[in-house]
Amino acid sequence: QVQLVESGGGLVQAGGSLRLSCAASGLTFSRYVMGWFRQTPGKEREFVAAISWMGSSTYYADSVKGRFSISRDNAKNKVYLQMNSLKPEDTAVYYCAAQQGLLAAGSGREKGYDYWGQGTQVTVSS
């Protein structure tokens, strides 16, 4: 069974930082693009960041460039999202996802991913 398990969400003040983690099992982790998405009530799920198989390439939404950083540790089957300079508009449920294939245009779309985590709540107060 493929399973993605997230951790690290919580409540922080604007300007603060959080690091989200996602542990993967049941798949050949190093042959999957890994991504992060977020969603607020009544909104479409929004792409945040993605990372290639070996971590050599990354791709970010314009809204988080310069503030968020995605990384992966294939030896641990984990992907991370470091979030700095957080803003209230970053408040959302954050999901990690796994995509069969290579980092490409489809990596920025929800439909391009094959497996999803359960989501973890991030709340940024002003």
Side-chain angles (χ1 to χ4, degrees):
Q1 295 179 320
V2 173
Q3 190 172 29
L4 305 177
V5 180
E6 301 163 337
S7 61
L11 173 65
V12 297
Q13 293 183 328
S17 298
L18 279 176
R19 189 178 75 159
L20 305 183
S21 299
C22 178
S25 61
L27 76 173
T28 304
F29 183 74
S30 62
R31 291 297 177 267
Y32 281 77
V33 171
M34 298 299 297
W36 288 94
F37 289 73
R38 65 188 183 186
Q39 188 170 26
T40 56
K43 304 289 187 179
E44 293 288 322
R45 194 164 296 185
E46 176 189 26
F47 170 75
V48 176
I51 189 166
S52 61
W53 291 359
M54 302 303 294
S56 57
S57 297
T58 56
Y59 174 42
Y60 296 94
D62 288 343
S63 59
V64 305
K65 284 182 179 177
R67 299 189 298 120
F68 291 10
S69 180
I70 188 171
S71 61
R72 68 191 295 163
D73 186 340
N74 287 350
K76 297 180 179 179
N77 282 13
K78 288 185 176 180
V79 62
Y80 307 94
L81 185 68
Q82 178 67 46
M83 304 185 293
N84 299 323
S85 301
L86 283 162
K87 305 174 181 179
E89 51 262 46
D90 295 318
T91 295
V93 177
Y94 283 71
Y95 300 87
C96 66
Q99 177 192 49
Q100 297 183 53
L102 301 174
L103 184 66
S107 301
R109 299 192 292 267
E110 180 181 358
K111 292 182 178 179
Y113 288 78
D114 301 286
Y115 304 106
W116 293 85
Q118 79 286 355
T120 185
Q121 178 70 47
V122 172
T123 302
V124 184
S125 63
S126 60

